[in-house]
Protein backbone atom coordinates (compact mmCIF):
# COMPACT_ATOMS: atom_id res chain seq x y z
CA UNK A 1 0.00 0.00 0.00
CA UNK A 2 2.51 2.58 -1.13
CA UNK A 3 1.95 6.34 -1.32
CA UNK A 4 -1.63 6.28 -0.19
CA UNK A 5 -1.75 10.05 0.01
CA UNK A 6 -1.40 10.21 -3.77
CA UNK A 7 -4.66 8.29 -4.11
CA UNK A 8 -6.46 11.25 -2.58
CA UNK A 9 -5.53 13.53 -5.46
CA UNK A 10 -7.15 11.31 -8.05
CA UNK A 11 -10.03 9.79 -6.10
CA UNK A 12 -11.02 12.84 -4.10
CA UNK A 13 -14.46 13.26 -5.57
CA UNK A 14 -15.03 9.82 -7.08
CA UNK A 15 -18.59 8.70 -6.35
CA UNK A 16 -19.74 4.96 -7.13
CA UNK A 17 -22.19 1.89 -8.38
CA UNK A 18 -25.38 -0.18 -8.83
CA UNK A 19 -26.03 -3.86 -8.27
CA UNK A 20 -26.32 -5.87 -11.46
CA UNK A 21 -26.36 -9.64 -11.23
CA UNK A 22 -24.22 -11.69 -13.61
CA UNK A 23 -24.21 -15.40 -14.27
CA UNK A 24 -21.12 -16.30 -12.26
CA UNK A 25 -19.81 -15.34 -8.86
CA UNK A 26 -16.44 -13.70 -8.47
CA UNK A 27 -13.72 -14.78 -6.07
CA UNK A 28 -12.50 -13.46 -2.73
CA UNK A 29 -8.89 -13.94 -1.67
CA UNK A 30 -6.78 -12.30 0.99
CA UNK A 31 -3.39 -10.62 1.23
CA UNK A 32 -1.02 -12.30 3.68
CA UNK A 33 1.41 -9.55 4.68
CA UNK A 34 4.09 -10.25 7.28
CA UNK A 35 5.45 -6.85 8.37
CA UNK A 36 5.14 -7.87 12.00
CA UNK A 37 7.06 -9.71 14.70
CA UNK A 38 4.16 -11.46 16.42
CA UNK A 39 2.40 -13.49 13.72
CA UNK A 40 1.54 -17.19 13.89
CA UNK A 41 3.73 -19.74 12.12
CA UNK A 42 3.02 -20.28 8.41
CA UNK A 43 1.61 -23.71 9.26
CA UNK A 44 -0.91 -22.17 11.66
CA UNK A 45 -1.76 -19.51 9.10
CA UNK A 46 -2.61 -22.17 6.51
CA UNK A 47 -4.90 -23.87 9.01
CA UNK A 48 -6.55 -20.54 9.74
CA UNK A 49 -7.11 -19.88 6.03
CA UNK A 50 -8.65 -23.31 5.55
CA UNK A 51 -10.87 -22.96 8.62
CA UNK A 52 -12.27 -19.72 7.20
CA UNK A 53 -12.92 -21.16 3.74
CA UNK A 54 -10.28 -18.91 2.15
CA UNK A 55 -8.84 -20.65 -0.92
CA UNK A 56 -6.88 -17.80 -2.53
CA UNK A 57 -3.99 -15.93 -0.94
CA UNK A 58 -1.59 -13.28 -2.19
CA UNK A 59 1.94 -12.90 -0.85
CA UNK A 60 4.45 -10.05 -1.10
CA UNK A 61 7.44 -12.32 -1.67
CA UNK A 62 8.31 -15.99 -2.16
CA UNK A 63 9.22 -16.92 1.40
CA UNK A 64 10.21 -20.60 1.37
CA UNK A 65 8.61 -21.41 4.74
CA UNK A 66 5.29 -19.92 3.65
CA UNK A 67 5.30 -21.62 0.24
CA UNK A 68 6.19 -24.94 1.86
CA UNK A 69 3.36 -24.59 4.38
CA UNK A 70 0.92 -23.88 1.54
CA UNK A 71 1.90 -27.06 -0.33
CA UNK A 72 -0.97 -29.54 -0.85
CA UNK A 73 -3.36 -27.18 0.95
CA UNK A 74 -5.63 -26.59 -2.03
CA UNK A 75 -5.07 -22.84 -1.64
CA UNK A 76 -4.20 -20.92 -4.82
CA UNK A 77 -1.25 -18.57 -4.36
CA UNK A 78 -0.13 -15.34 -5.99
CA UNK A 79 3.52 -14.61 -5.23
CA UNK A 80 5.63 -11.52 -5.82
CA UNK A 81 8.98 -10.49 -7.18
CA UNK A 82 9.88 -7.43 -5.05
CA UNK A 83 10.68 -4.03 -6.51
CA UNK A 84 14.31 -4.35 -5.41
CA UNK A 85 14.84 -7.14 -7.95
CA UNK A 86 13.27 -5.40 -10.95
CA UNK A 87 16.49 -3.88 -12.29
CA UNK A 88 18.54 -7.08 -12.16
CA UNK A 89 15.69 -9.15 -13.58
CA UNK A 90 15.02 -6.69 -16.41
CA UNK A 91 18.62 -6.64 -17.57
CA UNK A 92 19.72 -10.26 -17.09
CA UNK A 93 17.79 -13.29 -18.37
CA UNK A 94 19.91 -15.63 -16.27
CA UNK A 95 18.86 -13.69 -13.15
CA UNK A 96 15.22 -14.17 -14.14
CA UNK A 97 15.81 -17.87 -14.82
CA UNK A 98 17.50 -18.36 -11.48
CA UNK A 99 14.69 -16.56 -9.64
CA UNK A 100 12.03 -18.71 -11.30
CA UNK A 101 13.98 -21.89 -10.58
CA UNK A 102 14.53 -21.00 -6.92
CA UNK A 103 11.14 -19.49 -6.16
CA UNK A 104 8.60 -21.04 -8.54
CA UNK A 105 9.55 -24.40 -10.03
CA UNK A 106 11.01 -25.50 -6.70
CA UNK A 107 7.53 -25.35 -5.14
CA UNK A 108 5.15 -25.89 -8.05
CA UNK A 109 2.81 -27.78 -8.46
CA UNK A 110 2.62 -28.92 -4.82
CA UNK A 111 2.06 -25.26 -3.99
CA UNK A 112 -0.65 -23.97 -6.33
CA UNK A 113 1.13 -20.87 -7.60
CA UNK A 114 -1.24 -19.26 -10.10
CA UNK A 115 0.21 -15.76 -10.53
CA UNK A 116 3.37 -13.73 -10.12
CA UNK A 117 3.11 -10.05 -9.24
CA UNK A 118 6.22 -8.49 -10.73
CA UNK A 119 6.81 -5.52 -8.46
CA UNK A 120 4.17 -3.71 -6.43
CA UNK A 121 2.82 -0.21 -7.15
CA UNK A 122 5.98 0.41 -9.14
CA UNK A 123 4.86 3.77 -10.55
CA UNK A 124 5.01 5.31 -7.07
CA UNK A 125 8.22 3.55 -6.05
CA UNK A 126 10.58 6.31 -4.81
CA UNK A 127 13.51 4.38 -6.29
CA UNK A 128 12.19 5.05 -9.80
CA UNK A 129 11.99 1.46 -11.01
CA UNK A 130 9.23 2.04 -13.58
CA UNK A 131 11.51 1.65 -16.60
CA UNK A 132 12.42 -1.87 -15.51
CA UNK A 133 8.86 -3.13 -15.04
CA UNK A 134 7.80 -4.43 -18.46
CA UNK A 135 11.26 -5.81 -19.35
CA UNK A 136 11.25 -7.69 -16.03
CA UNK A 137 7.77 -9.06 -16.71
CA UNK A 138 8.90 -10.29 -20.14
CA UNK A 139 12.00 -12.00 -18.77
CA UNK A 140 10.05 -13.76 -16.02
CA UNK A 141 7.57 -14.90 -18.66
CA UNK A 142 10.41 -16.22 -20.82
CA UNK A 143 11.65 -18.19 -17.84
CA UNK A 144 8.19 -19.67 -17.31
CA UNK A 145 8.11 -20.67 -20.99
CA UNK A 146 11.38 -22.56 -20.55
CA UNK A 147 9.86 -24.43 -17.62
CA UNK A 148 6.58 -24.98 -19.51
CA UNK A 149 4.66 -23.10 -16.82
CA UNK A 150 3.56 -20.09 -18.87
CA UNK A 151 0.06 -21.47 -19.45
CA UNK A 152 -0.46 -22.22 -15.74
CA UNK A 153 1.00 -19.13 -14.09
CA UNK A 154 0.00 -15.60 -15.09
CA UNK A 155 2.23 -12.55 -14.79
CA UNK A 156 1.02 -9.05 -13.94
CA UNK A 157 1.91 -6.12 -11.67
CA UNK A 158 -0.31 -4.37 -9.08
CA UNK A 159 -1.01 -0.77 -10.09
CA UNK A 160 -1.94 1.89 -7.55
CA UNK A 161 -5.13 3.85 -8.22
CA UNK A 162 -2.92 6.94 -8.36
CA UNK A 163 -1.85 5.84 -11.86
CA UNK A 164 -5.03 7.59 -13.02
CA UNK A 165 -4.93 11.22 -14.07
CA UNK A 166 -8.72 11.55 -13.91
CA UNK A 167 -11.24 9.34 -12.13
CA UNK A 168 -14.42 11.43 -11.85
CA UNK A 169 -16.79 10.87 -13.40
CA UNK A 170 -15.83 7.25 -13.96
CA UNK A 171 -16.49 7.53 -17.69
CA UNK A 172 -13.71 10.16 -17.91
CA UNK A 173 -11.13 7.85 -16.33
CA UNK A 174 -7.67 8.24 -17.84
CA UNK A 175 -4.11 7.25 -17.05
CA UNK A 176 -1.43 9.84 -16.35
CA UNK A 177 -0.03 11.00 -19.67
CA UNK A 178 3.59 10.46 -18.64
CA UNK A 179 2.87 6.76 -18.02
CA UNK A 180 0.84 5.82 -21.09
CA UNK A 181 3.49 5.41 -23.79
CA UNK A 182 6.50 4.37 -21.68
CA UNK A 183 4.80 1.70 -19.57
CA UNK A 184 0.98 1.44 -19.58
CA UNK A 185 0.58 0.48 -23.25
CA UNK A 186 3.56 -1.92 -23.29
CA UNK A 187 2.27 -3.57 -20.10
CA UNK A 188 -1.29 -3.92 -21.43
CA UNK A 189 0.11 -5.32 -24.69
CA UNK A 190 2.01 -7.91 -22.68
CA UNK A 191 -1.09 -8.80 -20.63
CA UNK A 192 -3.12 -9.30 -23.82
CA UNK A 193 -0.46 -11.40 -25.48
CA UNK A 194 -0.09 -13.69 -22.47
CA UNK A 195 -3.79 -13.92 -21.58
CA UNK A 196 -3.21 -12.24 -18.24
CA UNK A 197 -5.06 -9.45 -16.41
CA UNK A 198 -4.40 -6.04 -14.90
CA UNK A 199 -3.83 -5.99 -11.15
CA UNK A 200 -5.25 -2.89 -9.42
CA UNK A 201 -5.11 -1.72 -5.81
CA UNK A 202 -8.16 0.39 -4.87
CA UNK A 203 -8.97 1.94 -1.48
CA UNK A 204 -12.19 3.98 -1.32
CA UNK A 205 -11.31 4.68 2.33
CA UNK A 206 -8.70 7.27 1.32
CA UNK A 207 -11.09 9.19 -0.90
CA UNK A 208 -13.80 9.17 1.78
CA UNK A 209 -11.46 10.06 4.64
CA UNK A 210 -10.11 13.12 2.80
CA UNK A 211 -13.52 14.21 1.48
CA UNK A 212 -16.10 13.10 4.03
CA UNK A 213 -17.93 16.40 3.56
CA UNK A 214 -18.55 15.52 -0.11
CA UNK A 215 -18.78 11.73 -0.15
CA UNK A 216 -21.53 9.83 1.64
CA UNK A 217 -20.32 7.20 4.11
CA UNK A 218 -23.13 4.89 3.00
CA UNK A 219 -21.89 5.29 -0.56
CA UNK A 220 -18.36 4.34 0.50
CA UNK A 221 -19.56 1.30 2.49
CA UNK A 222 -21.93 -0.25 -0.10
CA UNK A 223 -24.93 0.66 2.04
CA UNK A 224 -28.31 1.86 0.75
CA UNK A 225 -27.98 5.29 -0.86
CA UNK A 226 -29.65 7.29 -3.68
CA UNK A 227 -26.75 6.66 -6.03
CA UNK A 228 -24.84 8.98 -8.34
CA UNK A 229 -25.40 9.27 -12.08
CA UNK A 230 -22.29 9.45 -14.25
CA UNK A 231 -22.73 12.57 -16.35
CA UNK A 232 -20.68 11.06 -19.16
CA UNK A 233 -22.57 7.83 -19.84
CA UNK A 234 -25.71 8.00 -17.68
CA UNK A 235 -24.81 4.93 -15.61
CA UNK A 236 -25.89 5.04 -11.98
CA UNK A 237 -23.43 4.15 -9.23
CA UNK A 238 -24.24 3.06 -5.69
CA UNK A 239 -20.73 2.46 -4.36
CA UNK A 240 -17.44 4.29 -4.49
CA UNK A 241 -15.52 1.06 -5.08
CA UNK A 242 -17.35 0.32 -8.32
CA UNK A 243 -16.87 3.87 -9.55
CA UNK A 244 -13.13 3.56 -8.98
CA UNK A 245 -12.97 0.21 -10.79
CA UNK A 246 -14.96 1.53 -13.74
CA UNK A 247 -12.67 4.56 -13.91
CA UNK A 248 -9.79 2.13 -14.53
CA UNK A 249 -11.82 0.28 -17.17
CA UNK A 250 -12.58 3.63 -18.82
CA UNK A 251 -8.90 4.57 -18.72
CA UNK A 252 -8.01 1.33 -20.54
CA UNK A 253 -10.80 1.88 -23.04
CA UNK A 254 -9.54 5.40 -23.76
CA UNK A 255 -6.31 3.92 -25.12
CA UNK A 256 -8.09 1.03 -26.93
CA UNK A 257 -7.58 -1.79 -24.45
CA UNK A 258 -11.20 -2.77 -23.84
CA UNK A 259 -10.52 -6.50 -23.68
CA UNK A 260 -8.09 -6.66 -20.75
CA UNK A 261 -9.57 -8.21 -17.61
CA UNK A 262 -8.92 -6.89 -14.11
CA UNK A 263 -8.31 -8.31 -10.64
CA UNK A 264 -8.43 -6.06 -7.56
CA UNK A 265 -5.30 -7.17 -5.75
CA UNK A 266 -5.77 -4.94 -2.70
CA UNK A 267 -8.79 -3.31 -1.12
CA UNK A 268 -9.81 -2.87 2.48
CA UNK A 269 -10.83 -0.56 5.31
CA UNK A 270 -8.94 0.03 8.58
CA UNK A 271 -10.52 -0.93 11.90
CA UNK A 272 -8.61 1.84 13.66
CA UNK A 273 -6.91 5.08 12.70
CA UNK A 274 -5.55 8.36 13.95
CA UNK A 275 -7.89 11.19 14.87
CA UNK A 276 -7.58 12.74 11.41
CA UNK A 277 -8.30 9.44 9.61
CA UNK A 278 -12.02 9.99 9.30
CA UNK A 279 -14.07 6.84 8.90
CA UNK A 280 -11.55 4.38 10.33
CA UNK A 281 -13.21 1.99 12.76
CA UNK A 282 -14.39 -1.56 13.32
CA UNK A 283 -18.00 -1.08 12.33
CA UNK A 284 -17.11 0.66 9.08
CA UNK A 285 -14.41 -1.91 8.28
CA UNK A 286 -16.89 -4.74 8.84
CA UNK A 287 -19.47 -3.01 6.67
CA UNK A 288 -17.08 -2.28 3.81
CA UNK A 289 -15.42 -5.67 3.64
CA UNK A 290 -18.59 -7.62 4.42
CA UNK A 291 -20.71 -5.80 1.86
CA UNK A 292 -17.94 -6.09 -0.74
CA UNK A 293 -17.75 -9.85 -0.21
CA UNK A 294 -21.53 -10.09 -0.53
CA UNK A 295 -21.40 -8.22 -3.81
CA UNK A 296 -18.51 -10.28 -5.19
CA UNK A 297 -19.92 -13.66 -4.20
CA UNK A 298 -23.37 -12.58 -5.38
CA UNK A 299 -22.03 -12.41 -8.93
CA UNK A 300 -22.40 -8.67 -9.43
CA UNK A 301 -20.18 -6.89 -11.90
CA UNK A 302 -19.84 -3.12 -12.20
CA UNK A 303 -22.24 -0.84 -14.13
CA UNK A 304 -19.74 -0.58 -16.99
CA UNK A 305 -18.90 -4.31 -16.99
CA UNK A 306 -22.00 -6.00 -15.52
CA UNK A 307 -21.18 -9.40 -17.02
CA UNK A 308 -17.61 -9.49 -15.66
CA UNK A 309 -17.53 -11.00 -12.16
CA UNK A 310 -15.42 -9.11 -9.65
CA UNK A 311 -12.33 -10.85 -8.31
CA UNK A 312 -10.74 -9.29 -5.25
CA UNK A 313 -8.07 -9.82 -2.61
CA UNK A 314 -8.94 -8.22 0.71
CA UNK A 315 -6.22 -6.40 2.60
CA UNK A 316 -5.32 -7.99 4.79
CA UNK A 317 -5.15 -11.14 6.84
CA UNK A 318 -3.50 -9.77 10.01
CA UNK A 319 -2.92 -6.48 11.75
CA UNK A 320 0.81 -5.92 11.13
CA UNK A 321 2.46 -4.16 14.06
CA UNK A 322 5.67 -3.13 12.31
CA UNK A 323 4.18 -1.29 9.36
CA UNK A 324 5.27 2.37 9.31
CA UNK A 325 2.93 5.30 8.85
CA UNK A 326 -0.36 6.28 10.49
CA UNK A 327 -2.25 4.00 12.88
CA UNK A 328 -4.50 2.75 10.09
CA UNK A 329 -1.53 1.06 8.40
CA UNK A 330 -1.28 -1.39 11.30
CA UNK A 331 -5.00 -2.06 11.48
CA UNK A 332 -6.25 -3.43 8.15
CA UNK A 333 -6.31 -7.05 9.27
CA UNK A 334 -9.34 -9.29 9.60
CA UNK A 335 -7.48 -11.07 12.39
CA UNK A 336 -5.30 -10.20 15.36
CA UNK A 337 -1.94 -11.99 15.58
CA UNK A 338 -3.50 -14.43 18.08
CA UNK A 339 -5.88 -15.51 15.27
CA UNK A 340 -8.93 -13.94 16.94
CA UNK A 341 -11.21 -11.99 14.60
CA UNK A 342 -11.04 -8.19 14.68
CA UNK A 343 -14.63 -8.30 13.43
CA UNK A 344 -16.77 -10.91 11.74
CA UNK A 345 -17.64 -10.88 8.05
CA UNK A 346 -18.74 -13.62 5.64
CA UNK A 347 -16.03 -15.08 3.44
CA UNK A 348 -18.02 -17.88 1.79
CA UNK A 349 -21.43 -18.32 0.17
CA UNK A 350 -22.63 -20.27 3.20
CA UNK A 351 -21.64 -17.50 5.62
CA UNK A 352 -23.56 -14.92 3.61
CA UNK A 353 -26.85 -16.34 4.83
CA UNK A 354 -28.21 -14.14 7.58
CA UNK A 355 -25.07 -11.99 7.80
CA UNK A 356 -25.21 -8.47 9.23
CA UNK A 357 -22.21 -6.12 9.30
CA UNK A 358 -21.59 -5.85 13.05
CA UNK A 359 -18.26 -6.16 14.89
CA UNK A 360 -17.57 -9.21 17.02
CA UNK A 361 -16.11 -9.45 20.48
CA UNK A 362 -12.50 -8.41 19.94
CA UNK A 363 -10.98 -9.91 23.07
CA UNK A 364 -8.91 -13.06 23.33
CA UNK A 365 -10.21 -16.03 25.28
CA UNK A 366 -7.87 -15.17 28.14
CA UNK A 367 -9.16 -11.62 28.54
CA UNK A 368 -12.82 -11.23 29.53
CA UNK A 369 -14.55 -8.04 28.43
CA UNK A 370 -17.47 -5.92 29.43
CA UNK A 371 -19.73 -3.95 27.12
CA UNK A 372 -18.39 -2.02 24.15
CA UNK A 373 -17.56 1.65 24.68
CA UNK A 374 -17.92 3.38 21.33
CA UNK A 375 -14.86 5.37 20.30
CA UNK A 376 -12.67 4.09 23.16
CA UNK A 377 -9.78 1.66 23.02
CA UNK A 378 -7.63 -0.23 25.51
CA UNK A 379 -4.25 -1.96 25.43
CA UNK A 380 -3.86 -5.60 26.51
CA UNK A 381 -1.06 -8.14 26.62
CA UNK A 382 -0.46 -10.60 23.82
CA UNK A 383 -0.31 -13.90 25.69
CA UNK A 384 1.52 -15.54 22.79
CA UNK A 385 4.47 -13.14 23.04
CA UNK A 386 6.12 -15.36 25.68
CA UNK A 387 6.87 -14.80 29.37
CA UNK A 388 10.27 -13.22 28.82
CA UNK A 389 8.97 -10.55 26.46
CA UNK A 390 5.90 -9.87 28.61
CA UNK A 391 7.99 -9.55 31.78
CA UNK A 392 10.46 -7.16 30.15
CA UNK A 393 7.67 -5.02 28.75
CA UNK A 394 5.86 -5.03 32.12
CA UNK A 395 8.98 -3.85 33.93
CA UNK A 396 9.45 -1.08 31.39
CA UNK A 397 5.82 0.07 31.64
CA UNK A 398 5.83 0.19 35.45
CA UNK A 399 9.34 1.64 35.63
CA UNK A 400 10.72 3.96 32.98
CA UNK A 401 7.37 4.14 31.20
CA UNK A 402 5.69 5.70 34.22
CA UNK A 403 2.53 3.55 34.21
CA UNK A 404 0.45 3.61 37.42
CA UNK A 405 0.93 0.07 38.70
CA UNK A 406 -0.16 0.65 42.31
CA UNK A 407 -3.44 -1.21 41.79
CA UNK A 408 -1.46 -4.38 40.99
CA UNK A 409 0.21 -4.56 44.41
CA UNK A 410 -0.78 -7.32 46.90
CA UNK A 411 -4.16 -6.59 48.42
CA UNK A 412 -5.03 -3.93 45.81
CA UNK A 413 -8.00 -4.17 43.42
CA UNK A 414 -6.04 -5.51 40.46
CA UNK A 415 -3.71 -7.95 42.23
CA UNK A 416 -5.95 -10.88 41.25
CA UNK A 417 -5.88 -12.79 39.03
CA UNK A 418 -2.17 -12.98 39.85
CA UNK A 419 -1.00 -13.89 36.35
CA UNK A 420 1.69 -12.30 34.23
CA UNK A 421 -0.72 -11.68 31.36
CA UNK A 422 -3.28 -9.97 33.60
CA UNK A 423 -0.68 -7.76 35.30
CA UNK A 424 0.95 -6.90 31.98
CA UNK A 425 -2.42 -6.00 30.47
CA UNK A 426 -3.17 -3.60 33.31
CA UNK A 427 0.28 -1.98 33.12
CA UNK A 428 0.25 -1.74 29.32
CA UNK A 429 -3.16 -0.10 29.36
CA UNK A 430 -2.12 2.39 32.04
CA UNK A 431 0.86 3.39 29.88
CA UNK A 432 -1.31 3.53 26.74
CA UNK A 433 -3.93 5.79 28.35
CA UNK A 434 -1.22 7.99 29.91
CA UNK A 435 0.19 8.49 26.41
CA UNK A 436 -3.33 9.50 25.22
CA UNK A 437 -3.62 6.33 23.12
CA UNK A 438 -1.10 7.70 20.65
CA UNK A 439 -0.01 5.60 17.69
CA UNK A 440 2.71 3.12 18.63
CA UNK A 441 2.11 3.25 22.40
CA UNK A 442 0.44 -0.18 22.53
CA UNK A 443 3.04 -2.30 20.83
CA UNK A 444 5.83 -3.14 23.32
CA UNK A 445 7.69 -5.02 20.62
CA UNK A 446 4.74 -7.24 19.81
CA UNK A 447 3.81 -7.93 23.45
CA UNK A 448 0.57 -5.94 23.28
CA UNK A 449 -2.28 -4.96 21.00
CA UNK A 450 -5.31 -2.68 21.01
CA UNK A 451 -8.90 -3.80 21.70
CA UNK A 452 -12.13 -1.82 21.49
CA UNK A 453 -13.94 -3.52 24.37
CA UNK A 454 -13.05 -2.76 27.94
CA UNK A 455 -11.13 -5.61 29.60
CA UNK A 456 -12.43 -6.74 32.99
CA UNK A 457 -10.68 -8.86 35.63
CA UNK A 458 -13.07 -9.34 38.54
CA UNK A 459 -13.31 -5.99 40.34
CA UNK A 460 -10.36 -4.51 38.44
CA UNK A 461 -11.39 -1.54 36.29
CA UNK A 462 -9.18 -0.74 33.32
CA UNK A 463 -8.61 2.98 32.83
CA UNK A 464 -9.85 4.90 29.80
CA UNK A 465 -8.52 8.13 28.40
CA UNK A 466 -10.62 9.99 30.89
CA UNK A 467 -9.87 8.11 34.09
Amino acid sequence: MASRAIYLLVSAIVLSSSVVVSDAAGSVGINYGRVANNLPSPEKVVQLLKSQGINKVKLYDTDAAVLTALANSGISVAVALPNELLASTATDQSAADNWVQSNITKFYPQTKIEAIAVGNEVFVDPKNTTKYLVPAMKRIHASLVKSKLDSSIKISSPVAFSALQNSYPSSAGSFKQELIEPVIKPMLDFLKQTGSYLMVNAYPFFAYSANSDQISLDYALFKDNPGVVDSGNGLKYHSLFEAQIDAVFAAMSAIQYDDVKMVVTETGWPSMGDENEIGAGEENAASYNGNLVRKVLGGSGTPLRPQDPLNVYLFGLFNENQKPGPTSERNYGLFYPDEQKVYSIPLTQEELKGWQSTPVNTSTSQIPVSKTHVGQTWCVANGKAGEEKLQAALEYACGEGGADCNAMQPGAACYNPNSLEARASYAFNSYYQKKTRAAGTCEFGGAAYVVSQRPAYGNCEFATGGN
Side-chain angles (χ1 to χ4, degrees):
M1 290 185 289
S3 299
R4 299 208 191 313
I6 304 178
Y7 286 163
L8 305 177
L9 300 176
V10 293
S11 56
I13 317 178
V14 182
L15 304 166
S16 191
S17 159
S18 64
V19 176
V20 184
V21 178
S22 66
D23 295 332
S27 64
V28 176
I30 198 159
N31 284 277
Y32 173 19
R34 305 192 326 280
V35 187
N37 60 6
N38 57 355
L39 299 183
S41 68
E43 292 76 16
K44 287 186 176 181
V45 171
V46 171
Q47 292 307 310
L48 176 64
L49 293 170
K50 293 172 72 172
S51 73
Q52 300 300 314
I54 299 171
N55 58 16
K56 294 175 75 70
V57 67
K58 178 172 160 284
L59 310 177
Y60 290 88
D61 54 22
T62 51
D63 183 84
V66 174
L67 291 177
T68 299
L70 284 163
N72 304 309
S73 65
I75 297 172
S76 297
V77 185
V79 300
L81 182 145
N83 291 1
E84 307 87 74
L85 297 181
L86 287 175
S88 59
T89 304
T91 55
D92 184 354
Q93 185 61 51
S94 63
D97 293 345
N98 290 336
W99 186 88
V100 168
Q101 286 293 327
S102 300
N103 297 282
I104 305 299
T105 57
K106 179 179 178 180
F107 300 98
Y108 184 91
Q110 288 79 10
T111 301
K112 289 179 59 178
I113 300 171
E114 66 173 6
I116 301 172
V118 176
N120 185 53
E121 298 188 343
V122 175
F123 305 153
V124 291
D125 184 349
K127 295 183 179 179
N128 193 28
T129 53
T130 298
K131 64 182 178 181
Y132 300 116
L133 177 57
V134 176
M137 295 170 75
K138 290 180 176 179
R139 290 198 184 275
I140 293 295
H141 182 258
S143 297
L144 291 181
V145 171
K146 292 178 183 179
S147 300
K148 297 182 171 57
L149 296 178
D150 53 300
S151 62
S152 303
I153 301 175
K154 299 302 180 185
I155 295 173
S156 188
S157 184
V159 174
F161 192 66
S162 57
L164 295 191
Q165 182 72 48
N166 298 306
S167 59
Y168 179 79
S170 296
S171 59
S174 63
F175 290 110
K176 290 180 176 177
Q177 284 298 316
E178 65 270 25
L179 294 175
I180 292 176
E181 295 299 332
V183 65
I184 295 292
K185 283 186 175 181
M187 180 173 66
L188 293 176
D189 278 333
F190 171 82
L191 297 178
K192 285 180 63 174
Q193 291 164 7
T194 59
S196 189
Y197 45 82
L198 181 66
M199 293 177 168
V200 175
N201 296 345
Y203 287 88
F205 167 70
F206 302 118
Y208 171 76
S209 186
N211 301 276
S212 58
D213 57 336
Q214 301 175 56
I215 299 175
S216 158
L217 181 59
D218 286 345
Y219 185 66
L221 299 178
F222 297 90
K223 292 185 175 182
D224 290 339
N225 63 85
V228 176
V229 175
D230 187 308
S231 59
N233 57 22
L235 294 175
K236 194 171 189 178
Y237 287 86
H238 288 277
S239 77
L240 181 53
F241 172 83
E242 292 171 281
Q244 291 188 337
I245 298 310
D246 275 357
V248 180
F249 277 130
M252 287 196 288
S253 180
I255 53 175
Q256 285 75 54
Y257 289 89
D258 295 284
D259 50 352
V260 176
K261 301 291 186 181
M262 186 192 310
V263 170
V264 179
T265 38
E266 282 186 27
T267 190
W269 197 284
S271 60
M272 187 181 301
D274 294 323
E275 187 175 347
N276 64 341
E277 295 186 287
I278 299 171
E282 272 185 38
E283 187 173 353
N284 289 345
S287 292
Y288 177 81
N289 285 321
N291 287 329
L292 172 59
V293 170
R294 179 165 58 184
K295 178 172 183 59
V296 170
L297 296 184
S300 298
T302 66
L304 194 60
R305 300 284 184 94
Q307 302 304 316
D308 288 355
L310 289 165
N311 297 294
V312 306
Y313 288 86
L314 300 179
F315 189 91
L317 184 55
F318 294 109
N319 283 345
E320 299 172 65
N321 69 343
Q322 292 184 316
K323 295 201 73 171
T327 296
S328 63
E329 287 292 312
R330 294 173 289 283
N331 289 279
Y332 274 88
L334 300 187
F335 294 88
Y336 292 111
D338 65 358
E339 301 180 43
Q340 298 295 311
K341 290 182 178 180
V342 179
Y343 49 83
S344 185
I345 63 167
L347 292 168
T348 64
Q349 293 279 7
E350 186 64 28
E351 290 177 331
L352 281 173
K353 300 172 183 176
W355 172 77
Q356 291 184 342
S357 57
T358 54
V360 297
N361 184 322
T362 57
S363 67
T364 67
S365 58
Q366 292 83 10
I367 301 178
V369 298
S370 56
K371 66 180 182 180
T372 299
H373 295 247
V374 178
Q376 297 181 356
T377 53
W378 293 262
C379 184
V380 297
N382 174 13
K384 296 185 178 182
E387 289 189 7
E388 185 176 346
K389 182 175 283 189
L390 284 180
Q391 184 63 43
L394 170 62
E395 291 173 0
Y396 170 81
C398 291
E400 184 181 342
D404 181 2
C405 298
N406 292 326
M408 295 159 45
Q409 303 306 311
C414 295
Y415 179 70
N416 289 314
N418 186 19
S419 71
L420 176 58
E421 187 173 346
R423 294 197 306 274
S425 291
Y426 185 85
F428 294 168
N429 185 65
S430 174
Y431 177 87
Y432 178 62
Q433 303 299 339
K434 177 183 176 182
K435 297 295 185 181
T436 64
R437 297 175 286 180
T441 59
C442 181
E443 293 186 358
F444 295 96
Y449 60 94
V450 173
V451 297
S452 61
Q453 291 181 303
R454 190 171 194 161
Y457 291 97
N459 295 322
C460 181
E461 282 288 327
F462 273 53
T464 65
N467 62 358

